[in-house]
Amino acid sequence: MKSWTQALRDGAISGSAGSALSTVMLSACGEQEADAPLAPTNAISHWVWGDRALAHEEASIRHTLLGYAIHHGASTLWAVVYEKWFGEHAENKALTPAVAGGFAVAALACFVDYQLTPRRLRPGYEHHLSKRSLFLVYASLGIALPIRGYLAADQDK
């Protein structure tokens, strides 16, 4: 198992991949379901700006950039957990445990977000997206988490 220091380093990279891919999914689902691709990302900024942020649909520094920054931070936190528990599987190209680990961490993130977190600190994008789309967003995080390890394994050869 990796040290926490190594998990933090690797999590910064895998968290960036998870954040980017899940944000693409947020935008695609927001476009499809609400005709507003930025609304789900903007909604995350309700942590700072309150419920008015849930209705903001246009690009803005106040909502879009802050929403993405919060999302990126949360994705990185979960990526550190992934790297600590499962990151070595990806580096060893053990596909099943690496991907299963990514999905397990994403499922844990979803559980924490919607069962343990106070309503005020939930992601906010659930106001714009169906449960199907929420599944796709968390699944995209889960599938992205092993990418860093697979790429690192290729570079070691």
Side-chain angles (χ1 to χ4, degrees), residues 19-31 34 36-50 52-72 75 122-129 134 137:
S19 174
L21 189 58
S22 60
T23 298
V24 167
M25 188 60 71
L26 280 170
S27 294
C29 292
E31 175 69 29
L38 296 177
T41 301
N42 291 342
I44 302 167
S45 71
H46 82 100
W47 280 21
V48 174
W49 306 121
R52 289 182 306 186
L54 298 173
H56 195 83
E57 296 182 349
E58 297 81 29
S60 73
I61 291 173
R62 181 180 180 131
H63 296 288
T64 312
L65 188 61
L66 179 61
Y68 180 76
I70 293 168
H71 181 68
H72 186 85
S75 297
R122 290 184 182 168
Y125 39 75
E126 69 276 8
H127 292 275
H128 298 280
L129 303 178
L134 291 177
V137 169

Side-chain angles (χ1 to χ4, degrees), residues 53-138:
L54 298 173
H56 195 83
E57 296 182 349
E58 297 81 29
S60 73
I61 291 173
R62 181 180 180 131
H63 296 288
T64 312
L65 188 61
L66 179 61
Y68 180 76
I70 293 168
H71 181 68
H72 186 85
S75 297
T76 301
L77 169 92
W78 290 112
V80 170
V81 171
Y82 172 82
E83 291 292 349
K84 179 67 175 166
W85 292 348
F86 303 104
E88 289 179 345
H89 294 301
E91 292 164 3
N92 295 328
K93 293 214 172 205
L95 180 65
T96 300
V99 173
F103 287 135
V105 169
L108 178 60
C110 183
F111 177 78
V112 168
D113 283 350
Y114 291 105
Q115 300 301 315
L116 301 180
T117 302
R119 215 173 274 283
R120 177 75 174 92
L121 296 176
R122 290 184 182 168
Y125 39 75
E126 69 276 8
H127 292 275
H128 298 280
L129 303 178
S130 66
K131 288 184 181 183
R132 176 188 164 277
S133 288
L134 291 177
F135 172 81
L136 293 173
V137 169
Y138 283 95

